[in-house]
Amino acid sequence: MPSYTAPVNDIQFVLHALLDAPSQDIPGYSELDADFTAAVLEEAGKIAGNVLAPLNAVGDREGCVLENGVVRTPTGFKDAFDQMKEGGWTALDCDPEFGGQGMPVLLGTAVGELFSGANQSFTMYQGLTHGAYSAIHAHGTEAQKAKWLPRMVSCDWTGTMNLTEPHCGTDLGLMRTKAVPQDDGSYRITGQKIFISAGDHDMSANVVHLVLAKIPGGPEGIKGVSLFIVPKFLVDDEGTIGARNGVSVGKLEEKMGIHGNSTCVMNYDEAEGYLLGSEHKGMRAMFTMMNEARLGVAMQGMAQAEAAYQNAVIYAKDRLQGRAVTGAENPDGPADPLIVHPDVRRNLMDQKSFVEGARAFMLWGANLLDRSHRMNDAEAEGLVSLLTPVLKGFLTDKGFECAVAAQQVYGGHGYIEEWGMSQFARDARITQIYEGANGVQALDLVGRKLAADGGKHVMGFFELVKAFIKENEGDEALKADFLEPLKSASKDLQAAGMFFMQHGMKNPNAALSGSYDFMHLFGHVCLGLMWARMAKAASTALASQTGDAAFYETKLATGRYYMARQLPATKMHLARIESGAAPVMALSAAAF
Amino acid sequence: MPSYTAPVNDIQFVLHALLDAPSQDIPGYSELDADFTAAVLEEAGKIAGNVLAPLNAVGDREGCVLENGVVRTPTGFKDAFDQMKEGGWTALDCDPEFGGQGMPVLLGTAVGELFSGANQSFTMYQGLTHGAYSAIHAHGTEAQKAKWLPRMVSCDWTGTMNLTEPHCGTDLGLMRTKAVPQDDGSYRITGQKIFISAGDHDMSANVVHLVLAKIPGGPEGIKGVSLFIVPKFLVDDEGTIGARNGVSVGKLEEKMGIHGNSTCVMNYDEAEGYLLGSEHKGMRAMFTMMNEARLGVAMQGMAQAEAAYQNAVIYAKDRLQGRAVTGAENPDGPADPLIVHPDVRRNLMDQKSFVEGARAFMLWGANLLDRSHRMNDAEAEGLVSLLTPVLKGFLTDKGFECAVAAQQVYGGHGYIEEWGMSQFARDARITQIYEGANGVQALDLVGRKLAADGGKHVMGFFELVKAFIKENEGDEALKADFLEPLKSASKDLQAAGMFFMQHGMKNPNAALSGSYDFMHLFGHVCLGLMWARMAKAASTALASQTGDAAFYETKLATGRYYMARQLPATKMHLARIESGAAPVMALSAAAF
């Protein structure tokens, strides 16, 4: 069975050597000194490794079961959930006004990686609750917040997000679920929602569904969609749980992975619901949480890659097979361990250099979110909005790819469920799909974010890259291995943007045909920037002769690998983009 | 539930417009006129679409069950297997002396794609039998051939290949299974083999296991391995089935996919076995079949991609979501079909251009095998040996990637098992692992095949590309869209080979660190060559104004897509290769 060890040192490196979090002028950051974050991460790491990881395979094997209308979670999930609640882990980055600990998203994301990496299905129950919490926190009335939030912060009640219907996912304007206003100000919700993660289960006393629905007589399409709070059990003004609401589980879906999470078809039959935010402004309410939710999925993708990588390394060191081409390295044994073979290393380095770069990118994203939320910083808000589809699309695509690569290290044993490597790949696969499929992320990036505010934010990103290169070009070691590849990759990204500007106005398909490649190109440049910054941080630490020199040397070598062997992908993506719309759009639908 | 339609027109295009099979001077090819191959493919296509495809999901859902020591296959498998036998499909490319129809491997592979695409798990029972048949056919005594082959050709008895043991897969020298010689010339086989596909089942009267084992006192390691015929039931000289042999199923493996195939742990307990070929020459016997077996796995990879693609297209045309950015294309409907969106097309074109190119490459490989086997053509043998790891590694990696891409078109529905798209990805995944994991293919290519016979075969390949370009450079349309990209990609491949020559002698790791990229680079050049040739064939057909002009136009457009949007990957692979061993080998094992 796979194991999980919290990568505390690497997260600490990002929080402190790279981001120097405690010295940032963001409210709440001064508390994040190295001892504090290490203590939090160590504690979270113990739960992740000792409690959640052992349940990962259990969840996969047992799945959830629908019995008499109620979902039963896998053996051990409820106990573990109680431990998470008791430890206060569900409240970490929630508002103290409602029982939260008020920590920044930065720390919440770092801790979230540990829980997700250890057990994605399990952690989703809390993750969805956090999403619903954020929506109510941002758009609820004072009374709504007081009524719902404290129990959601503690996860005594969990939450869900109900968007998708059988005939519509991405295009929510086609939605059919109805909300009919009642005399008492409430609504009656009727319709069917599908793919509702954590839709029902046996770990909390109530489930607070956030449901998108249309109020009859409202505007057509997406502009007539409103958001409602629809609890499983009604709750009176004293917060006491009452009668069952008209909400039921239609069925549980059989899925490729995340078996430990209950993916429900939810039926609403004149269920009592309460408008959250304004009538017909439901999509706007959803959008305000989107950056954070998508960052969360990016985190899941990279977290599965980390977990899979750890186990690939263990196997590669343990499994004896063949001899090193340069001479036996384990001459007394019957064969050398897998890790001596260059192609096994190539595979492991692909994973390692991605995971560490992705972690830095993700935590930088969380840092920008904090800056945006806690300081109302429009620039940070614009930049993180631009980067969000890149984070979500690139980190989940590559995260899945890495989980598959880790599985490959095991050979035939990777294909057998017993070893657990298949689960990493199957669980990671969903991250490319939910919270906006990655094609939709690419569309959001190229069709919306790139030109937002007159292209100001993408220009800001390029300035950032340029400034870093300029600042450091006196450093010869950094220059050859990091700055020059970064400069070249960044130029490719600029050229792609230029191509879109020149051709996209006349023919939007010329831009949209390259959207997916652009998202990946952008992702590589972001990881290139992260690696260049990390290389600088590692060099600085080495020069100061403090800390773990071996760690910093490894960091530099891993960065060099990324720059030399991953970043060249930017040229391929640029070539694909510059081939324009013609190859993509040439065929009639009938010719496919 | 997914459907399957045999791509008869496309296979016919490859067999006739591209390869002009009936005019080739290979014995047996003159029979392959267009009417004949069309008739065979149509018939096979009916079985594939009507009998095998509907059982694909059944096999995935039910899996195989071990009951009282015997494996029960999924509902309907036995009936379907009987239909395959009655139709003579198991005997298609077997030796007429033993009841086969004597068709070339070319036709066998074309038909095999249909069966594998419709139901990979099911088709493996026959595929493994064919592998064992080939081994006995190549290395058996006359008596052995007479005894075993006729029932294996008819699939009354099926076969298996037993190589892997719990502690060794790739490195078979570590093998522990023993074969002790008996006075009557037979051997007693004792040991455990794992991952034995089709190891036991209820569809045939006997199972003929080919088992690798060591005769005590023989040479150490891989040089002391011999191959044995070990039947489930003993058979007397009249061919009558007798007592149960000391062979039993230890357990069935739970796998990521191919649930319909029984993957067994096989226990041999003093089982009676008969030496096949010479003592200690077991690996040589296995190697003679390897090209064909690996071509078979390449075929499985591309066949899953074809099947997944077909269903992605159906969904993309059917599912309404969003509007075309250039204006509604389905104005009377609530939304446009997915296929109007550029990124959905980009995805589908990636799949289509791979599948069709891969099919041509695979059938060219089969063609070379026929030339090698039926004419003892050493040049063809050398070329197909060189191309085999490329076929296996590239076609299965890309086949899996395409199956995943097809699943993506379905959004959330792709993740739900109900729709069947997950199965294509899960089944395709094994093709990257078995019959030599793809890292081992890359090692075989760079470490062995590239330099074989003084590099003669790779030079031959480059000559072939050069000659084609030279022959056709007068054709302006072909030149810009096909010949120039092919030339550029081929140069990248040559540069990579040159890099290996310059650095690999001093430091083998410099070559082996780039082996995987080289395999992919080579694969792209092969598909580029195939597309250039197909473009020429399509242009010629268009010019002659015969046949289906729309088909040829589509072929050209699809080829242009491959050249413009896939072939640029060669530069990335070259850059990775040219970064050499340092980035890959820098870290100590402890630093991972």
Side-chain angles (χ1 to χ4, degrees):
Chain A
M1 204 177 65
S3 64
Y4 182 78
T5 306
V8 174
N9 287 348
D10 204 62
I11 297 176
Q12 285 284 92
F13 173 80
V14 175
L15 295 181
H16 301 286
L18 183 73
L19 298 176
D20 195 7
S23 77
Q24 290 194 30
D25 59 349
I26 301 171
Y29 268 47
S30 62
E31 291 174 50
L32 302 179
D33 64 71
D35 287 345
F36 174 72
T37 60
V40 171
L41 292 168
E42 292 289 355
E43 278 310 303
K46 278 183 207 159
I47 295 188
N50 303 335
V51 180
L52 305 193
L55 294 177
N56 199 35
V58 176
D60 189 54
R61 204 169 48 240
E62 293 186 11
C64 294
V65 182
L66 181 61
E67 278 176 346
N68 307 321
V70 179
V71 175
R72 187 162 47 74
T73 53
T75 309
F77 269 41
K78 176 142 179 37
D79 280 353
F81 203 68
D82 288 342
Q83 286 185 57
M84 293 285 280
K85 287 163 59 176
E86 282 155 25
W89 294 107
T90 65
L92 194 70
D93 60 357
C94 296
D95 188 344
E97 194 184 332
F98 305 104
Q101 296 174 35
M103 287 295 139
V105 172
L106 179 63
L107 189 62
T109 304
V111 167
E113 188 210 315
L114 309 187
F115 296 151
S116 268
N119 195 328
Q120 179 173 327
S121 295
F122 176 87
T123 307
M124 286 171 65
Y125 292 98
Q126 175 196 342
L128 271 301
T129 307
H130 195 278
Y133 154 88
S134 296
I136 297 174
H137 191 261
H139 300 284
T141 61
E142 289 310 312
Q144 284 175 330
K145 290 200 260 189
K147 181 169 184 174
W148 303 107
L149 292 188
R151 317 276 186 110
M152 293 176 76
V153 166
S154 65
C155 272
D156 289 333
W157 302 348
T158 61
T160 72
M161 309 294 277
N162 288 238
L163 286 74
T164 307
E165 299 185 5
H167 61 290
C168 74
T170 299
D171 189 355
L172 289 168
L174 303 174
M175 182 172 297
R176 291 180 194 143
T177 298
K178 281 199 171 44
V180 180
Q182 307 296 305
D183 293 340
D184 64 357
S186 72
Y187 292 75
R188 291 281 162 178
I189 315 287
T190 302
Q192 188 176 67
K193 294 287 180 177
I194 63 169
F195 302 159
I196 307 311
S197 298
D200 194 60
H201 58 88
D202 53 6
M203 304 193 296
S204 70
N206 204 355
V207 181
V208 182
H209 300 285
L210 294 197
V211 182
L212 284 177
K214 286 184 169 177
I215 301 168
E220 284 291 296
I222 200 72
K223 288 177 184 158
V225 169
S226 308
L227 187 59
F228 299 88
I229 300 171
V230 188
K232 176 178 172 182
F233 291 101
L234 298 174
V235 175
D236 70 18
D237 290 340
E238 280 71 50
T240 309
I241 283 183
R244 183 75 191 249
N245 200 358
V247 182
S248 60
V249 179
K251 74 163 180 170
L252 277 179
E253 302 286 3
E254 296 278 346
K255 310 180 296 290
M256 184 179 184
I258 52 165
H259 296 157
N261 199 273
S262 57
T263 306
C264 300
V265 173
M266 298 300 305
N267 293 324
Y268 294 89
D269 184 13
E270 304 224 319
E272 189 167 315
Y274 320 105
L275 183 68
L276 182 62
S278 312
E279 277 195 359
H280 314 315
K281 303 290 187 204
M283 288 312 291
R284 191 188 295 172
M286 298 301 301
F287 267 104
T288 56
M289 290 157 305
M290 216 163 260
N291 287 343
E292 200 173 322
R294 289 178 173 180
L295 177 69
V297 177
M299 179 261 276
Q300 293 177 335
M302 73 73 54
Q304 287 305 301
E306 162 72 37
Y309 166 73
Q310 288 185 13
N311 288 283
V313 168
I314 292 169
Y315 193 76
K317 288 180 181 175
D318 184 59
R319 172 87 169 176
L320 304 181
Q321 206 85 172
R323 289 290 184 193
V325 67
T326 47
E329 298 199 8
N330 176 35
D332 299 335
D336 288 343
L338 282 179
I339 202 163
V340 306
H341 301 299
D343 187 62
V344 172
R345 282 174 169 263
R346 186 270 315 156
N347 181 345
L348 293 176
M349 289 301 293
D350 280 346
Q351 297 172 53
K352 181 174 171 64
S353 66
F354 163 73
V355 165
E356 295 179 15
R359 176 175 296 124
F361 185 23
M362 164 184 88
L363 292 176
W364 180 41
N367 184 190
L368 289 170
L369 271 181
D370 281 328
R371 188 166 288 281
S372 147
H373 293 168
R374 293 181 171 230
M375 303 178 73
N376 277 316
D377 181 324
E379 210 171 302
E381 161 72 21
L383 185 55
V384 78
S385 290
L386 171 73
L387 296 178
T388 293
V390 182
L391 279 159
K392 199 282 183 179
F394 186 68
L395 264 50
T396 62
D397 277 359
K398 290 285 170 186
F400 172 69
E401 207 178 293
C402 285
V404 169
Q407 182 188 21
Q408 190 74 13
V409 173
Y410 280 67
H413 298 278
Y415 199 67
I416 303 299
E417 295 295 353
E418 187 183 337
W419 288 80
M421 298 306 287
S422 154
Q423 189 189 351
F424 292 128
R426 290 185 289 98
D427 285 1
R429 183 70 185 92
I430 189 59
T431 65
Q432 302 171 282
I433 298 173
Y434 61 21
E435 199 54 46
N438 286 355
V440 175
Q441 303 296 329
L443 180 64
D444 177 46
L445 175 64
V446 171
R448 195 178 299 145
K449 301 294 176 63
L450 209 51
D453 300 322
K456 187 173 139 189
H457 308 297
V458 73
M459 298 312 284
F461 175 81
F462 286 126
E463 282 310 315
L464 229 145
V465 173
K466 228 161 114 180
F468 180 81
I469 292 172
K470 207 176 158 71
E471 242 166 64
N472 295 287
E473 62 192 353
D475 183 335
E476 285 305 320
L478 210 61
K479 194 171 173 184
D481 291 344
F482 292 93
L483 302 184
E484 276 166 16
L486 173 60
K487 196 182 215 170
S488 161
S490 174
K491 269 192 187 160
D492 292 338
L493 184 62
Q494 281 178 287
M498 195 59 77
F499 180 87
F500 291 161
M501 274 172 53
Q502 284 170 346
H503 300 85
M505 297 291 271
K506 263 183 306 190
N507 177 12
N509 288 336
L512 296 183
S513 296
S515 59
Y516 212 89
D517 284 282
F518 189 80
M519 180 172 76
H520 275 250
L521 205 175
F522 210 152
H524 277 295
V525 174
C526 289
L527 258 62
L529 176 62
M530 292 300 109
W531 272 116
R533 284 180 172 173
M534 288 196 285
K536 191 191 171 179
S539 306
T540 307
L542 272 173
S544 73
Q545 297 189 306
T546 56
D548 180 353
F551 176 90
Y552 298 122
E553 293 287 6
T554 298
K555 185 62 74 181
L556 280 164
T558 308
R560 278 187 213 108
Y561 183 93
Y562 194 88
M563 304 312 275
R565 295 184 62 102
Q566 290 296 332
L567 219 47
T570 59
K571 299 233 174 313
M572 176 186 71
H573 292 300
L574 177 60
R576 287 173 59 105
I577 288 165
E578 290 184 339
S579 74
V584 176
M585 305 304 290
L587 297 187
S588 68
F592 278 88
Chain B
M1 204 179 65
S3 65
Y4 183 78
T5 306
V8 174
N9 287 348
D10 203 61
I11 298 177
Q12 284 284 90
F13 173 79
V14 176
L15 296 180
H16 300 287
L18 183 71
L19 298 175
D20 196 6
S23 77
Q24 290 193 28
D25 57 352
I26 301 172
Y29 268 48
S30 63
E31 289 174 50
L32 303 178
D33 64 70
D35 287 346
F36 174 71
T37 58
V40 171
L41 293 168
E42 292 289 357
E43 278 310 304
K46 277 183 205 159
I47 294 188
N50 302 335
V51 180
L52 305 193
L55 294 176
N56 199 37
V58 176
D60 189 53
R61 201 169 52 239
E62 293 186 11
C64 293
V65 182
L66 181 60
E67 276 178 348
N68 307 318
V70 180
V71 174
R72 186 161 47 73
T73 53
T75 309
F77 269 41
K78 175 138 178 45
D79 281 353
F81 203 68
D82 288 342
Q83 286 185 57
M84 293 286 280
K85 287 163 59 175
E86 282 156 23
W89 294 107
T90 65
L92 194 70
D93 60 358
C94 296
D95 188 343
E97 195 186 330
F98 304 104
Q101 295 174 36
M103 288 295 141
V105 173
L106 179 64
L107 190 62
T109 305
V111 167
E113 187 208 317
L114 309 187
F115 296 151
S116 268
N119 194 327
Q120 180 174 327
S121 295
F122 175 87
T123 306
M124 286 172 65
Y125 291 98
Q126 176 196 340
L128 271 300
T129 307
H130 196 280
Y133 154 87
S134 296
I136 298 174
H137 192 263
H139 300 284
T141 62
E142 289 312 310
Q144 284 175 330
K145 290 200 260 187
K147 183 169 183 174
W148 303 108
L149 292 187
R151 317 275 184 109
M152 293 176 76
V153 167
S154 65
C155 272
D156 288 334
W157 302 347
T158 61
T160 74
M161 310 294 277
N162 287 237
L163 287 74
T164 307
E165 298 184 8
H167 61 290
C168 73
T170 299
D171 189 354
L172 289 168
L174 303 175
M175 181 171 298
R176 291 182 194 141
T177 298
K178 282 199 172 41
V180 180
Q182 306 296 305
D183 292 339
D184 65 356
S186 72
Y187 291 76
R188 291 279 162 179
I189 316 286
T190 302
Q192 188 177 68
K193 295 288 180 176
I194 63 168
F195 303 158
I196 308 309
S197 298
D200 194 60
H201 57 89
D202 53 6
M203 304 193 295
S204 69
N206 205 355
V207 181
V208 182
H209 301 286
L210 295 197
V211 182
L212 284 178
K214 286 185 170 177
I215 301 169
E220 284 291 295
I222 199 74
K223 287 176 183 158
V225 168
S226 308
L227 187 59
F228 299 89
I229 300 171
V230 189
K232 175 179 174 182
F233 291 100
L234 298 174
V235 175
D236 69 17
D237 291 339
E238 281 72 49
T240 309
I241 283 182
R244 185 75 191 250
N245 200 358
V247 182
S248 60
V249 180
K251 74 163 180 167
L252 278 179
E253 302 286 3
E254 297 278 344
K255 308 181 299 287
M256 185 180 185
I258 52 164
H259 296 157
N261 198 272
S262 57
T263 306
C264 300
V265 172
M266 299 300 306
N267 292 325
Y268 294 89
D269 184 13
E270 303 225 319
E272 189 168 319
Y274 319 106
L275 183 68
L276 183 61
S278 312
E279 277 194 358
H280 314 315
K281 304 291 186 203
M283 288 311 292
R284 191 188 295 172
M286 298 302 301
F287 267 104
T288 57
M289 291 157 305
M290 217 162 258
N291 287 344
E292 199 173 325
R294 289 179 171 180
L295 177 70
V297 177
M299 178 262 275
Q300 293 177 335
M302 73 74 54
Q304 288 305 301
E306 162 73 37
Y309 166 73
Q310 288 184 15
N311 288 282
V313 168
I314 291 168
Y315 193 76
K317 289 180 182 175
D318 184 58
R319 172 88 169 177
L320 304 181
Q321 205 86 171
R323 289 291 184 193
V325 66
T326 46
E329 298 198 8
N330 175 35
D332 299 334
D336 287 343
L338 283 180
I339 203 164
V340 306
H341 301 300
D343 187 62
V344 172
R345 281 174 168 264
R346 186 271 315 157
N347 182 345
L348 294 175
M349 289 302 292
D350 280 346
Q351 297 174 52
K352 181 175 171 64
S353 66
F354 164 72
V355 166
E356 295 178 15
R359 177 176 293 124
F361 185 22
M362 164 183 88
L363 292 175
W364 181 42
N367 185 188
L368 289 170
L369 271 181
D370 281 329
R371 188 167 287 282
S372 149
H373 293 168
R374 294 183 170 227
M375 302 178 76
N376 278 315
D377 182 323
E379 208 171 304
E381 162 71 21
L383 184 55
V384 79
S385 290
L386 172 72
L387 297 178
T388 292
V390 182
L391 279 158
K392 200 281 185 180
F394 186 69
L395 263 51
T396 62
D397 277 359
K398 290 285 168 184
F400 172 69
E401 206 178 295
C402 285
V404 169
Q407 183 189 18
Q408 191 74 11
V409 173
Y410 280 66
H413 298 279
Y415 199 67
I416 301 299
E417 294 295 353
E418 188 184 337
W419 288 79
M421 298 306 287
S422 156
Q423 189 188 351
F424 292 128
R426 289 184 292 99
D427 286 0
R429 183 70 184 92
I430 189 58
T431 65
Q432 302 171 282
I433 298 172
Y434 62 20
E435 199 54 43
N438 286 356
V440 175
Q441 302 297 328
L443 180 65
D444 177 46
L445 175 64
V446 171
R448 197 179 296 145
K449 300 296 177 61
L450 209 52
D453 301 321
K456 187 172 136 188
H457 308 298
V458 72
M459 299 311 285
F461 176 81
F462 285 126
E463 282 309 316
L464 228 145
V465 173
K466 227 160 116 181
F468 179 81
I469 292 173
K470 206 173 157 73
E471 239 166 64
N472 294 288
E473 62 191 354
D475 183 334
E476 285 305 319
L478 210 59
K479 195 172 173 182
D481 292 344
F482 292 92
L483 302 184
E484 276 165 17
L486 174 60
K487 197 182 212 168
S488 161
S490 172
K491 269 191 187 161
D492 292 338
L493 185 63
Q494 281 177 286
M498 193 63 74
F499 180 86
F500 290 161
M501 274 172 53
Q502 285 168 345
H503 300 85
M505 296 291 271
K506 262 184 304 190
N507 177 11
N509 288 336
L512 297 183
S513 295
S515 59
Y516 212 89
D517 284 281
F518 190 80
M519 181 173 76
H520 274 250
L521 205 176
F522 209 152
H524 276 297
V525 175
C526 288
L527 258 61
L529 175 62
M530 292 300 111
W531 272 116
R533 283 181 173 170
M534 290 197 284
K536 191 190 170 178
S539 304
T540 308
L542 273 173
S544 73
Q545 298 191 306
T546 54
D548 180 354
F551 176 90
Y552 299 122
E553 294 286 7
T554 298
K555 186 60 75 179
L556 281 165
T558 308
R560 277 188 214 107
Y561 183 92
Y562 194 87
M563 305 310 274
R565 294 184 63 102
Q566 291 295 333
L567 220 46
T570 60
K571 299 233 174 313
M572 175 186 71
H573 292 300
L574 177 60
R576 287 174 60 107
I577 289 166
E578 290 184 338
S579 75
V584 176
M585 305 304 292
L587 296 188
S588 68
F592 279 90

